[in-house]
Every structure is written in C-alpha cells, then in structure tokens.
Amino acid sequence: MSARIIDGNALSAKLRDQLAARAAALKARGVIPCLAVILVGEDPASQVYVRNKVNGCDKAGIRSLHDVYASDVEPAVVFARIAELNADPGVHGILVQLSLPARFDAAAVLEAIAPEKDVDGFHAENVGALMQGKPRFIPCTPYGVMKMLESENVPLPGAEAVIVGRSNIVGKPMAMLLLARNCTVTVCHSQSQDLGFHTRRADILVAAVGRARMIAGDMIKPGATVIDVGINRTADGKLCGDVDFESAREVAGLITPVPGGVGPMTITMLLTNTLEAAERLLP
Ligand code: NDP
C-alpha cells in the first residue's frame, strides 16, 4: 500500500494564515514585525532561499530588510551591520544565510547576533537553551518537522526515531526535540556502520544528509513515518530528497515529498520565530 503524503505546502498555508492574523494583531498594537536577512556572496541556492524567505515575510505581513554583500566583502562590514541591526528596536529577527565564504568565521558571525533576535536558533546561548529543554528559538527545519509530526498525530513517546545526519542546523537539534518528546533517538552519520540496520528499526526516520535518494524502500520499516529533509539537484536539474521517494512510499506509512515537504515548513517556522520575537516585546 502506498504511504500517505504529508503535504508541507498545505500545512504551511494553514499555519501562514494563522501567522498573518498574528502579524495583523501586532500591527494593531503599533508593532510592525520585522526580519533582517543578510546574504553574503552569489551562491544561487542561497539566493533562492533568501528570496523565498523575503517573499514569505511579505505575504505574512512581516516587514523584511534584505542586505546583500559581494563574496569579497570585508567581514568587519558584515559584523558592523549585525551590530546595527542588534541595536535597532524595530528589528525583531536577524538571520545570516549560510553558508558563508571561507574567509568568514561562521561561528563568530552567528555569535554576533543578539540571542533574543536569533530567529534561526543557532547562537550558542539558544543551542544551550534547547539542550536544557527550555528553548528560546527552535531551529526552523527541525521545528517544521515537529509540526508535521504533530499535524499527523504521529505517536512519539517510546517511538524509535532514527536521524541520518548530525549537522548543527538539522540533525542535532532534531535529536534534541525528539528526545524531549520521549522518543528513543539514534543519530547516524558518515562513520555509522550498516546504516540500513539502524534505519530499518525506525518508527520515525529523518533523513538530513544531502545525498540524492540514498535511502531506498528496503531500508525502511513497513509503516514508518519518513521525513525527508534533503534537497539535492539531479543531473537533469530536478530537485529530489535523500529518500528514494518511489520505492519508499511503497513501504512507509507516512512520507514527505521533495519538493513540497519540509522546505516550505522551514520558512513557515522562521516566520513563526520572528513573530514570537516581536510578541515577546509587547508590554
Ligand atoms: P551537512 O552537510 O551539514 O550534514 C550532513 C550530514 O550527513 C553529516 O552529519 C554527515 O556525517 C552525514 N552523512 C554524510 N554522508 C553520509 C552517509 N553516507 N551516511 C550517513 N550519514 C552521512 O548538511 P545539512 O544538515 O546542512 O543538510 C542536509 C540536507 O538537508 C541537505 O540536502 C540540505 O540541502 C538539506 N536542508 C534542507 C532544509 C529544508 O528546509 N528542507 C534546511 C536545511 C538543510 P558527518 O557528520 O560524519 O560528516
């Protein structure tokens, strides 16, 4: 039997309607929620991500500032702009699009953002808060995945959750969030032995690797919930995930597509975090 598809576009549209209502309520109280986005360099994928974020803001009634710097910009210029945005009371969220040119100390850039405006949730203070189970901002992609699981009432306590990928922006925070919901969590990475052994045990499988279609149907437990975070471009220019959708959907119970799965949810949760940052400042 074919898996039911978790439609990230549909869920996003529903959530974004609610966000637009929250943005309107803020405006009625004299607060215009505002996200500042900084892009350094000319990477085409980053340009698309930033454009989607700015468009998402516009549609939700969130003001956006959009600074673009050439890849050879002096890091000091970017740090100065972050300091300016940190000090601006009209700016509620700040994000620097990753990845940054190699000359930049990416960790130092993320640490320069004021933690209370760090809507990506990448500042060490916010990472620590998440780790302690008291998140200030939940990183957007894993946050979106949790919303997808909630929307389908996927049982979490006691579930075997396997995450493939251990990046700071997806795999690790994903593990923290599932652990906080009482899943038994396994995190796999490039040195893991016999990946299929782990993935076949998963009631919930999250793939966040960046390798096209590496997880096939025979690596999936029948009836599992499969969340595909990966975004890869095939030789013919099409987008695909880390999961081989066609074979996986024959085995899984629930599955997210690429495109139209986790991607739109990531931006929706960025908008959510920005509104939360603005709402926290209300008297
Ligand atoms: P990273 O490159 O930072 O991390 C990839 C992870 O995959 C690493 O932990 C790496 O292990 C692991 N890995 C690599 N090869 C294997 C393998 N053969 N078996 C098991 N694990 C392996 O990527 P990101 O986390 O930033 O992104 C992952 C994917 O998700 C990408 O396709 C990216 O484009 C996409 N993405 C999608 C988003 C969305 O909104 N849908 C948002 C963010 C990312 P090790 O640590 O050992 O190197």
Side-chain angles (χ1 to χ4, degrees), residues 141 164-167 169 189-190 208-211 214 229-231 263 266:
T141 300
V164 189
R166 58 174 166 182
S167 70
I169 66 172
H189 46 79
S190 65
V209 179
R211 288 172 64 123
M214 71 174 283
V229 176
I231 301 178
T266 295

Side-chain angles (χ1 to χ4, degrees), residues 153-185:
N153 296 314
V154 174
L156 298 178
E160 291 286 341
V162 175
I163 301 159
V164 189
R166 58 174 166 182
S167 70
N168 289 337
I169 66 172
V170 188
K172 284 182 197 164
M174 190 77 252
M176 285 302 129
L177 292 172
L178 289 167
L179 193 58
R181 298 296 300 274
N182 299 316
C183 293
T184 302
V185 179

Side-chain angles (χ1 to χ4, degrees), residues 23-150:
L26 277 166
K27 272 185 205 156
R29 298 185 63 177
V31 177
I32 298 174
C34 176
L35 173 68
V37 182
I38 293 177
L39 172 64
V40 183
E42 294 82 25
D43 175 56
S46 294
Q47 288 172 339
V48 172
Y49 294 144
V50 166
R51 198 181 320 131
N52 289 343
K53 289 169 186 177
V54 169
N55 287 343
C57 282
D58 289 348
K59 288 190 185 136
I62 296 172
R63 188 165 80 99
S64 59
L65 305 176
H66 180 189
D67 290 296
V68 180
Y69 298 98
S71 51
D72 61 357
V73 67
E74 279 303 319
V77 173
V78 176
F79 279 106
R81 179 61 178 148
I82 293 173
E84 203 173 69
L85 293 167
N86 282 343
D88 184 342
V91 172
H92 305 100
I94 303 170
L95 82 79
V96 177
Q97 182 65 44
L98 300 176
S99 58
L100 286 164
R103 289 179 305 108
F104 277 77
D105 177 349
V109 171
L110 297 179
E111 297 309 295
I113 297 171
E116 64 278 7
K117 296 190 181 188
D118 167 41
V119 284
D120 260 339
F122 295 160
H123 190 288
E125 192 177 307
N126 292 329
V127 174
L130 178 68
M131 182 98 173
Q132 290 178 332
K134 297 174 197 155
R136 182 196 264 138
F137 293 114
I138 301 173
C140 303
T141 300
Y143 194 3
V145 171
M146 295 308 289
K147 287 284 172 195
M148 292 178 115
L149 297 175
E150 276 167 29

